[in-house]
Amino acid sequence: MGAWGSGPFENDGAGDLIASIGHGDFTFETVEWAFEDDYLEVDGGQIAVALLELVLIVRADRKRDPATQDLDLDSFTSTLTSERLTWLIEMVERTIASTDSELFELWDEQGPEELASWRVPVVDGLEDLRVLSV
């Protein structure tokens, strides 16, 4: 049974990402497998949302989630090129789309209130990222 919650770090994909960053193993290349297909599986969506939140923590001084409190984000921050930010915007857009995103479909199945509790903060974060990457 996996972790499931509307927060950006309340799922297995985000947990794996945090562990990778914590161990110093993270590169964008290590997560590209999750975004290769036209249909975005749940892991890819979860990773995209968690990456979005991490970028906002380091670039927009967003308050840290307890899951990231002890995480050294210096090496992660050094990977954030303008190309990577553009790529991340595209992956988050795919995640919140109503087509070709398993994560969206799973939240949509839960009902409109649950979908909004997950999607609205992601859309807001995406807008913040767009401003940062201009």
Side-chain angles (χ1 to χ4, degrees):
M1 184 165 155
W4 179 259
S6 62
F9 303 108
E10 296 177 350
N11 56 68
D12 294 330
D16 292 343
L17 176 68
I18 289 171
S20 175
I21 292 170
H23 292 126
D25 300 333
F26 173 80
T27 65
F28 277 91
E29 290 77 19
T30 62
V31 297
E32 284 179 350
W33 62 269
F35 302 95
E36 292 175 342
D37 296 329
D38 290 336
Y39 182 77
L40 186 61
E41 300 285 341
V42 70
D43 288 334
Q46 291 172 342
I47 291 168
V49 171
L51 284 170
L52 170 65
E53 190 66 19
L54 289 170
V55 169
L56 294 174
I57 287 169
V58 299
R59 292 280 176 98
D61 202 28
R62 185 170 284 193
K63 182 181 176 192
R64 282 188 175 224
D65 184 279
T68 67
Q69 285 298 93
D70 298 326
L71 206 56
D72 179 1
L73 294 173
D74 290 341
S75 62
F76 172 76
T77 303
S78 68
T79 66
L80 299 177
T81 63
S82 60
E83 293 81 16
R84 286 298 181 191
L85 294 178
T86 299
W87 175 85
L88 180 57
I89 288 169
E90 292 171 9
M91 296 310 104
V92 174
E93 287 172 342
R94 287 179 64 197
T95 300
I96 60 175
S98 60
T99 59
D100 300 325
S101 171
E102 183 179 21
L103 189 56
F104 181 95
E105 290 175 5
L106 291 170
W107 279 107
D108 190 41
E109 289 172 4
Q110 302 303 309
E113 288 180 26
E114 289 80 4
L115 174 63
S117 74
W118 166 75
R119 192 173 186 273
V120 169
V122 176
V123 170
D124 292 345
L126 182 58
E127 290 306 312
D128 292 343
L129 179 57
R130 285 189 177 114
V131 170
L132 288 172
S133 60
V134 171

